Amino acid sequence: MGFGSTGKILRIDLSSGSFAVEEFDEQFFRKYPGGKAFAAYFLLKECPQGVDPFSPENLLILATGALTGAPVATATRYTAAARSPLTGAYGESEAGGFWGPELKFAGFDAIIIKGKSPKPVYIWIKDGNVQIRSADHLWGNEPYEVQETIRKELGDNLIRVLQIGPAGERLVRYAAITNELRHFNGRNGIGAVMGSKNLRAIAVRGKTRFSELAAEPQKLVKLGQQLAKEAKNHPQSMELTEKGTPGLVTGLNAGGILPTLNFNGGSFDGAGNINWDAYQSILNSRRSCYACVIHCKREVEVSDRYEVSTKYGGPEYETIAAFGSNCGVSDLQAVAKANELCNLYLMDTISVGSAISFAMECFENGLIGLDDTGGIPLTFGNVDAMLQMVELIGKREGFGYLLGEGVLRAARALGRCTEKYAMHVKGQELPFHDPRGKASLSLAYAIAENGADHLTSIHDPALANPDSISFKGAIGWGTVEPIPARELSARKARQYLLFEHWSSFIKVVGLCYFGPAPRSFIQVDELIEAMRAVTGWEVTVEEMLEMGERSINLSRLFNQREGFSRNDDNLPDRLFHGLTSGPLSGVAIDPQVFAQVMTELYLMKGWNPQTGMPTRQKLMELGLEWAADLVGVV
Amino acid sequence: MQIHLGGHLHYFDVEKRNHIQLEIAGRKRLQDVCLELGVPPAEVALAVINGNIVDIQEAVVENPDRVELFSPLGGG
């Protein structure tokens, strides 16, 4: 098409087994350039109000962005979206890997799936041709076997397979989706929605080359080569190459914000056993996503206290904190095993770890007992108990059935004042960056439409020093000022908002969080150049940020229609109390300051601070009059 | 003195070391130690001496201190 897009959406109705191709024009695509924008647009427009997330009427959307598949490092990602079975809100999760680019090469920018197949199926897409095939023989099997079987029966080892696992089949509310067994749409339970449709996998293969889709392919190739060189020589991307996200453990622990024992503390005595130095003892290799030179993915191998193969990748930082410090576990081999089990059943490691640490704290305080847990002593640090629970959640058996509902539902079912230990926002478990040490994350966790999310903006330390590389990389995006990491204020809200739009934009166009400055190496002028070479549009920083802002407002309207309000933009009470360990002991978020800054943030967004919802004026500014009318914003 | 260059700070060390064993004479400003190692103080978002968070602009070190320095701890 010439603007980085195929211009085609594949629509599939699994109830009838039918499909259709819808084309869209460049004007539509410039306003909604894929990814998160497609997800929010189609969920708002086509998902029936009040739909049960597990009903056939819920939509499952898989959408690449304008840059997905470009020969530029970190341009690999796609969005998976649905009404979330975990939160009941707008649900979204991004992943890298190889599947997104291959979908585009196979002829489609996005797939919108509705209905429910009467029997298990998988979808096979090759160069614009679509088949819905039986998955009777795949259902219940391990992801590795499923991928191998599909490739074998279709006769092509280079087929890219996206799939759910046994947890998605059993509707664990935080079930994940994977592609290539190592890249995950982990959050919000989109894998459970896929399972509810009896859809096990989507296999794709295509011959289209990105040069056929780009406005200026030669310029793009040259830029891609230049960026590849820069990625190898930039401190921020080089760190990701060497250590990946596991490199965060030591610093967060030293800074007193490594979530410990279900977010009670900020420093963990056993951190030295789960940090990057320790990780090197289980490291097997480094892997990458499509066309990315960073190689931030790790593969691990263990043959000692546990057996862990390289098949399902290695634990990221979030997983290490989830099953390590936050469960009181200082055995990295056990963390690697928990990671492997989650990736085998296909569940979000953040939510699984958080569900178990929640149960551990309930058990330690006598709110639940062996009668509840099926005889498993769920004390902090009990490695065997932790691993047993991961298996039970994946199988939806015993106490694992309840924990597979997420911490909010589990706490409400248990009663007994357990909800105070449920660390969630809108029902989604907290990621493992503590807002008591990174203040803007209090705003991020509270306000994100999809529940607590650590990738909606730039973390505070990156913008604290005006002479740092990250701060300098931020300047091109707008007005920034150095603000201490723990300051929570109106000026912090303004800065958060700028990079909330930045983060949303990169999800719209299919870039990775580890690509652009200020988080990493691609400077703003280089990104503009890439956007222009791909799309042919004379985009500006302002337009790119507006693409991000528009998508946020659409997803907000989805939540408004489902009855969400400002009351849902809150934090677990624990964060308003002091950390109990580490150098920041006693540090808490002031609830009154938090409420005041949230009010300021709504006003900055052009939203009503009473309801927490967009005003008509803001929606008109963003060209969303149709959405205002649809939801009844007057 | 043991120095840990956390995050991307090891990028600035000629040998790209994460851990450095260093002997210094007497007491020295931490900023000066960073500069001698090639680490720009502006890249140090968190400085810890013997388990205590310190202000890099004011801190002084001596043997056998255990020093941990970290670049901004981002998300991911």
Side-chain angles (χ1 to χ4, degrees):
Chain A
M1 293 289 284
F3 47 93
S5 162
T6 68
K8 290 178 185 166
I9 294 171
L10 175 62
R11 290 181 175 274
I12 297 177
D13 184 340
L14 288 173
S15 294
S16 63
S18 60
F19 60 88
V21 177
E22 180 183 341
E23 300 198 7
F24 56 86
D25 61 21
E26 187 172 354
Q27 193 180 359
F28 174 84
F29 197 60
R30 185 155 186 176
K31 198 167 176 183
Y32 310 103
K36 181 182 169 81
F38 269 19
Y41 176 89
F42 287 108
L43 279 177
L44 181 64
K45 202 160 189 179
E46 298 183 11
C47 198
Q49 181 180 2
V51 70
D52 181 331
F54 290 147
S55 82
E57 285 73 36
N58 197 5
L59 299 181
L60 170 64
I61 298 172
L62 299 155
T64 65
L67 297 183
T68 308
V72 170
T74 76
T76 67
R77 291 173 81 84
Y78 65 96
T79 296
R83 186 178 187 201
S84 167
L86 188 62
T87 66
Y90 168 82
E92 167 206 301
S93 186
E94 279 74 24
F98 297 82
W99 189 86
E102 196 72 26
L103 175 66
K104 220 181 228 187
F105 304 155
F108 301 104
D109 293 302
I111 310 175
I112 300 176
I113 300 164
K114 67 176 184 179
K116 176 181 180 178
S117 171
K119 298 182 77 175
V121 292
Y122 77 93
I123 297 167
W124 166 224
I125 302 167
K126 185 179 184 186
D127 290 321
N129 298 306
V130 182
Q131 290 178 17
I132 300 173
R133 300 170 67 103
S134 171
D136 278 337
H137 58 307
L138 306 175
W139 205 252
N141 289 358
E142 177 180 328
Y144 178 81
E145 291 168 16
V146 168
Q147 182 170 284
E148 291 297 298
T149 303
I150 288 174
R151 285 176 172 167
K152 195 171 178 185
E153 70 189 29
L154 297 176
D156 185 347
N157 275 332
L158 294 177
I159 286 169
R160 304 299 185 181
V161 178
L162 172 148
Q163 61 172 312
I164 59 165
E169 295 175 356
R170 295 170 186 140
L171 309 185
V172 172
R173 285 186 186 270
Y174 38 73
I177 296 171
T178 190
N179 75 85
E180 299 295 297
L181 308 174
R182 295 166 181 83
H183 308 275
F184 305 95
N185 304 92
R187 306 238 69 194
N188 269 187
I190 312 300
V193 174
M194 191 162 154
S196 75
K197 297 183 177 303
N198 272 334
L199 176 60
R200 177 62 198 246
I202 305 175
V204 294
R205 188 83 165 98
K207 289 199 198 82
T208 302
R209 286 177 296 181
F210 199 86
S211 57
E212 298 168 44
L213 305 174
E216 296 181 79
Q218 289 178 336
K219 190 176 172 187
L220 186 63
V221 167
K222 199 173 167 190
L223 178 63
Q225 290 168 343
Q226 174 195 324
L227 288 172
K229 280 183 195 163
E230 288 175 13
K232 289 177 180 170
N233 291 295
H234 192 281
Q236 288 167 297
S237 43
M238 194 205 75
E239 179 201 1
L240 292 164
T241 300
E242 183 183 331
K243 303 172 188 170
T245 58
L248 287 168
V249 173
T250 305
L252 292 175
N253 189 59
I257 48 173
L258 179 67
T260 300
L261 306 181
N262 201 29
F263 277 87
N264 272 292
S267 279
F268 180 49
D269 288 342
N273 296 323
I274 58 171
N275 65 10
W276 173 243
D277 290 335
Y279 201 105
Q280 291 170 81
S281 68
I282 62 169
L283 180 66
N284 176 281
S285 57
R286 294 171 170 84
R287 296 282 288 255
S288 77
C289 297
Y290 171 84
C292 186
V293 296
I294 294 180
H295 288 70
C296 75
K297 295 285 172 191
R298 262 99 272 264
E299 278 186 357
V300 300
E301 189 166 22
V302 177
S303 184
D304 187 10
R305 294 188 292 284
Y306 305 95
E307 294 290 330
V308 181
S309 84
T310 57
K311 282 192 292 191
Y312 296 106
E316 298 282 348
Y317 161 72
E318 292 289 336
T319 310
I320 296 169
F323 294 110
S325 56
N326 212 43
C327 282
V329 167
S330 55
D331 181 345
L332 190 58
Q333 292 188 11
V335 171
K337 187 65 190 175
N339 179 69
E340 181 185 64
L341 289 170
C342 286
N343 295 349
L344 191 154
Y345 288 105
L346 278 170
M347 305 184 284
D348 175 30
T349 58
I350 296 174
S351 287
V352 176
S354 187
I356 294 173
S357 58
F358 154 78
M360 285 175 164
E361 187 166 14
C362 291
F363 191 92
E364 294 262 6
N365 286 286
L367 301 183
I368 63 172
L370 293 173
D371 289 346
D372 297 295
T373 65
I376 299 172
L378 270 173
T379 51
F380 281 122
N382 188 332
V383 171
D384 292 338
M386 179 180 80
L387 293 175
Q388 281 182 67
M389 284 314 308
V390 177
E391 292 253 26
L392 288 173
I393 294 170
K395 292 176 180 171
R396 297 227 76 171
E397 290 176 359
F399 193 55
Y401 186 92
L402 187 62
L403 294 185
E405 290 287 283
V407 293
L408 176 60
R409 283 182 176 80
R412 288 183 176 166
L414 287 166
R416 307 172 221 173
C417 300
T418 54
E419 199 165 332
K420 63 186 173 186
Y421 299 144
M423 303 299 289
H424 73 93
V425 177
K426 300 183 181 75
Q428 175 156 267
E429 292 74 15
L430 256 58
F432 298 102
H433 292 271
D434 198 315
R436 286 169 287 192
K438 294 178 173 180
S440 76
L441 285 174
S442 65
L443 309 175
Y445 287 0
I447 209 162
E449 284 69 33
N450 49 323
D453 187 338
H454 61 298
L455 298 176
T456 62
S457 190
I458 283 293
H459 292 203
D460 309 59
L463 303 176
N465 189 321
D467 297 317
S468 66
I469 292 169
S470 47
F471 189 93
K472 289 174 183 167
I475 290 170
W477 287 99
T479 305
V480 288
E481 58 179 323
I483 307 176
R486 281 164 46 203
E487 177 180 316
L488 187 56
S489 60
R491 65 177 187 156
K492 180 63 73 71
R494 192 172 299 111
Q495 200 134 288
Y496 163 78
L497 183 58
L498 173 63
F499 289 101
E500 186 193 66
H501 295 168
W502 169 92
S503 173
S504 180
F505 164 72
I506 65 177
K507 291 173 184 171
V508 166
V509 297
L511 273 180
C512 175
Y513 190 78
F514 293 153
R519 179 62 181 90
S520 194
F521 70 101
I522 304 176
Q523 303 305 309
V524 65
D525 54 338
E526 294 170 322
L527 186 50
I528 289 172
E529 203 179 329
M531 279 292 289
R532 289 178 178 177
V534 168
T535 64
W537 308 332
E538 287 298 305
V539 294
T540 60
V541 169
E542 290 73 23
E543 183 180 358
M544 294 194 296
L545 292 171
E546 189 177 79
M547 288 169 178
E549 184 181 15
R550 185 178 295 117
S551 302
I552 292 167
N553 277 265
L554 287 173
S555 56
R556 196 71 179 182
L557 287 177
F558 182 92
N559 281 6
Q560 179 175 353
R561 191 172 63 185
E562 298 303 336
F564 285 79
S565 71
R566 177 172 177 163
N567 292 336
D568 298 293
D569 293 345
N570 214 331
L571 295 171
D573 187 61
R574 172 155 295 165
L575 299 182
F576 298 118
H577 294 86
L579 286 154
T580 59
S581 68
L584 297 189
S585 285
V587 171
I589 296 167
D590 183 319
Q592 289 177 324
V593 172
F594 171 73
Q596 179 58 38
V597 175
M598 284 292 286
T599 296
E600 305 263 11
L601 181 57
Y602 292 122
L603 290 168
M604 290 171 196
K605 281 172 168 271
W607 294 0
N608 181 327
Q610 273 77 47
T611 63
M613 293 299 156
T615 58
R616 187 171 185 88
Q617 184 186 341
K618 170 51 70 176
L619 296 171
M620 298 284 280
E621 282 171 25
L622 294 169
L624 297 176
E625 187 177 2
W626 66 267
D629 291 341
L630 185 70
V631 181
V633 179
V634 291
Chain B
M1 183 165 58
Q2 294 171 40
I3 299 179
H4 171 50
L5 298 180
H8 65 241
L9 296 182
H10 66 299
Y11 171 87
F12 300 102
D13 176 57
V14 176
E15 297 175 51
K16 304 283 185 278
R17 292 171 294 180
N18 285 295
H19 298 276
I20 298 171
Q21 189 74 35
L22 192 70
E23 294 299 317
I24 61 170
R27 291 161 59 82
K28 248 185 179 173
R29 294 192 332 144
L30 181 54
Q31 277 202 89
D32 293 336
V33 174
C34 287
L35 290 169
E36 284 172 25
L37 291 172
V39 175
E43 282 306 300
V44 180
L46 173 66
V48 180
I49 301 177
N50 301 323
N52 299 309
I53 296 176
V54 298
D55 183 340
I56 189 173
Q57 294 183 338
E58 296 175 3
V60 175
V61 291
E62 61 187 344
N63 295 328
D65 282 342
R66 191 166 56 86
V67 179
E68 298 171 275
L69 305 171
F70 300 94
S71 56
L73 301 162

